[in-house]
Each structure stands twice: as C-alpha cells, then as structure tokens.
Amino acid sequence: MKALDELTFDNRFARLGDAFSTHVLPEPLDEPRLVVASAAAMALLDLDPAVAETPVFAELFGGHKLWAEAQPRAMVYSGHQFGGYTPQLGDGRGLLLGEVYNQAGEHWDLHLKGAGMTPYSRMGDGRAVLRSSIREFLASEALHALGIPTSRALCVIGSSTPVWREKQERGAMVLRLAPSHIRFGHFEYFYYTQKPEQLAELAEHVLNLHYPECREQPEPYLAMFREIVERNAEMIAKWQAYGFCHGVMNTDNMSILGITFDFGPFAFLDDFDAHFICNHSDHEGRYSFSNQVPIGQWNLSALAQALTPFISVDALKEALGLYLPLYQAHYLDLMRRRLGLTTAEEDDQKLVERLLKLMQNSGVDYTLFFRRLGDESAALAVSRLRDDFVDLAGFDAWAEQYKARVARDGDDSETQRRERMHAVNPLYILRNYLAQNAIAAAESGDYSEVRRLHEVLNNPFEEQAGMEQYAQRPPDWGKHLEISCSS
Ligand code: AMP
Ligand code: MG
C-alpha cells in the first residue's frame, strides 16, 4: 500500500510533445472536500483507501496541489459530433495529470475532469458540476462491476465554487483512470489537419503502449485496427445486453481501447425500449439504444478513414466487416446466459427477439425481468412473470418455447439454475432516479447516499441485506427524467 506522495509517474503521452498536448495547470476549486472515493479504483494505484479521508487527498484532486513529477497536459483531438466533423476539440475542462504505474507494472492515466480552462475550452468555462461528476463516478464503477469495459473513477471532489448551467450549481472534479485517454478523434485530428508525421507518431505510440502483441503480425497497424474493431464489438454487445445507453457516441468520446468513455447523459434502461433516447438534445435519435450498434460501426469507419495512410482501403473494409458478426456472436452469447441457457441453438436469436418485442410492448422492467426469471424453475418463473405482460397470449406462446428450450438445454437443479443466472443478471442497476436521489442529497451537503449507492452497485449480482429499495422499478417521477448535455 502506498501513501499519496509515493505514486510513481511515467508521463509517456506528455513526452510526445507540444503538437499533441499543452501544459496547463489545474485551477483549484474553493473549499475542496471528498464526496466519494472508490477503494477498488484506489487499489489500481496501490493506494491505501484510508488516504481518501485525508485533507491532502481533496487538495490534490481538487486542483490545489500537484505531485512534483506530474505533468498536467490538455490533449488536442477532434471528432465527428452527431455525424458532422468538428475540426478542433480537445480537453476543454479536463487535464491529463500524468501517467502512474503500479507495483504490477500497469500504467494508469490520471485525468482530472473539471480542472478549469484550457486552450481547448472554446465557449466553455472549463468546469464540471457536482451532478455530472457524481454521475460519471457512479457509472464508471457500476459498469466495471457488471463486467463492462470502462474507464474508472477514483473520486469526486466537491466544492463551494459557483458554476453556471441552467441555474447556479457547484463545481466538482472527478478523477478518471484509464490505461489511455486517446480517442478515435486523436487520429482524426492529425489526419484532417494533414500532419502525417504526427499521425505516424501517434499510431506508433498506441501500437507500442497498448497493442504490443500486434507488432508480431505481418501488418501491425492492420492487426491493431482489427483488435480495436473486436473490442468495440464486444463492448457494445455488453451495453446492449445490459441495457446501457451511452448517449453521445461522438468519435471524440470513443476510446482506442474499446472501453466505455466520456459519460454524459447516459442511462440504463428501466422498461425495455429499443428506441430509447437518453439525451434529450438528440432530437433525431442518432444515439438511441438500438442505434448504438450501427453507430459503433460508423465510428470505426471514421477511425478507419484516419488510418488510410497506413492501411489499404480493402484491408480496412475487411476489418470493418468483422464488426457486425462479432457483435452478434457476443450479444447472443450473453443473452443466452441471461436466459439461463448453456448450449447454443440456431433459433435462440429469435427467442431473444420475441421476448424483447413482448417486453417493449408491455413496458417490462429490463433488469428485474431477467433477475426474476432466474429466481425459480423456468415453469414457475414464467408463470409469475406473466402478470407483467399485456399481450398474454403472446407471452404464453413465448413461455412455452422457452420452457421447451430450457428442457432441451439439459437437466439441472433449481439451485444451479439460480446461481448461474444470478451471476449474470444484476439485481441492482444504476437507474437514473437512484442517481438523482443521491445527487439531490449531495447537493445539500449529504454524501451518504452517493456512497451507499456506490457500495450497492459494487456488487450488483449479490442480494444485499436491507437494500431492497435499490432493487425496485422507478417511481412515476423517476421514469422519464430528462438528462441534458450540460454537464
Ligand atoms: P463532451 O460532450 O463532454 O464530450 O465535450 C465535447 C467537447 O466540449 C470537448 O472538447 C470538451 O472538452 C468540451 N467541453 C465540454 N464541456 C466543457 C466546459 N464546461 N468547458 C470547456 N469545455 C467543455
Ligand atoms: Mg467528450
């Protein structure tokens, strides 16, 4: 276990130089205080969880202090936003403080979001508000606990600094951890500004640091792109299987590591709704729940375009062609497991589709349905779940097919079935209304609810005593909360 002053820095991205990022110091928050910290994320840096409670922790992650070896940098990138190209974006309110490595030799970028203005702030104030910082913190750690690749969050630091959004709010900072903060938009920036040397340097950097095994391949860059395609297909399959809606899948929010990144107006589905749009500024539903699948491929094609100086168009197209079949295989595999199936049959895809259609028509809770399906034998479970459906004849027909399918899958005891299913079907999910309750309390100075919710979501598959209220459908007020981009 390390103390805060024992972190070891490397700063390999900073060493790429001024064409890639600019030196900027964090702008401190007034009266910084710890809102919540993740012991699991602290362990990634070998940090003793007790140090979160020390005043220096809030000072470091509230922008007051800095390690001597840290090299805070604002990164430049660009990207396609809602389908249109924006030539210059960048860290407008976040800073890469430095790269730290732990005792196991793993490298982690420390990124402080809400750290003040940078050369890339455009019209923004460089700040993040408490509400959005809590949402990013909870989502990162909850996705990780569900087994979905994501950036991590070390802590949220609150403050008395006023920040104007639709109304006056308070500034906060979230410390994000990821092995890299390089986005598809980094490649696009150097490609569209016609800087071939820097583009090549960036590609080498990513290959060496994050895809070293691709070096062994005859065409290392192509192998790396294929790997990025595969990781994205798998990540998005997991989003779809667990009902996660990212909300702003612009190419500047897509990580080259295939991890969930840059949280804005995200949501987990309550009722199943394939057409759900979580970002109320997304008028056309470009990033609706079901559109995430084709958008994943669209984003990868935007990255492919930026890699055309290194890889032939035919090879890039072939690699892009891997996306959909890989996505489908991962998705179906997960959905089979969510249904308690251990074998594969050709018609399983249809079984899943029919179920989702019925759930859509009846507004059935996506998380609780699967959880309850595993509570008992297939026959008992479907007979209890039947009441949630409006189209009873439709559900009965599906239930017969499901029971027959379960019978063909093989014999196991009710206990085995429950254990197997509960291990993949969470009881607790980060519902918008739960986050909203925790935020409302935190805004009035009470951080206990954020901390409790974080703890519950750390173990989403295990029933926790006294936590029934976190495993309920949303109350009426919590069903259609509007989450905006203003964060
Ligand atoms: P996002 O939608 O959060 O992914 O941000 C898109 C771009 O706007 C990025 O370049 C951000 O750094 C920038 N940005 C967002 N909010 C702010 C803010 N409050 N101040 C400065 N830049 C911001
Ligand atoms: Mg972003």
Side-chain angles (χ1 to χ4, degrees), residues 179-290:
S180 169
H181 276 68
I182 299 176
R183 307 146 189 262
F184 290 11
H186 275 87
F187 283 91
E188 293 181 283
Y189 175 77
F190 292 106
Y191 173 77
Y192 287 106
T193 51
Q194 299 180 6
K195 293 180 177 151
E197 281 162 26
Q198 277 99 348
L199 184 65
E201 222 179 316
L202 180 70
E204 275 297 288
H205 176 88
V206 174
L207 186 68
N208 287 337
L209 269 56
H210 305 293
Y211 294 95
E213 65 289 351
C214 295
R215 273 257 173 260
E216 317 301 320
Q217 301 291 320
E219 283 192 69
Y221 287 144
L222 175 58
M224 174 167 81
F225 181 65
R226 268 206 206 107
E227 180 72 25
I228 296 175
V229 170
E230 287 174 19
R231 289 193 194 184
N232 272 272
E234 186 170 352
M235 171 188 74
I236 294 174
K238 290 183 175 174
W239 289 0
Q240 302 308 114
Y242 283 108
F244 178 76
C245 202
H246 180 285
V248 198
M249 287 176 72
N250 293 336
T251 57
D252 52 298
N253 293 338
M254 302 304 292
S255 156
I256 49 99
L257 299 180
I259 59 177
T260 316
F261 200 66
D262 252 22
F263 297 87
F266 70 84
F268 281 91
L269 297 182
D270 289 307
D271 295 354
F272 181 78
D273 180 4
H275 315 298
F276 183 68
I277 302 166
C278 60
N279 177 359
H280 86 232
S281 325
D282 181 7
H283 304 295
E284 283 160 20
R286 179 180 172 86
Y287 300 136
S288 72
F289 180 65
S290 57

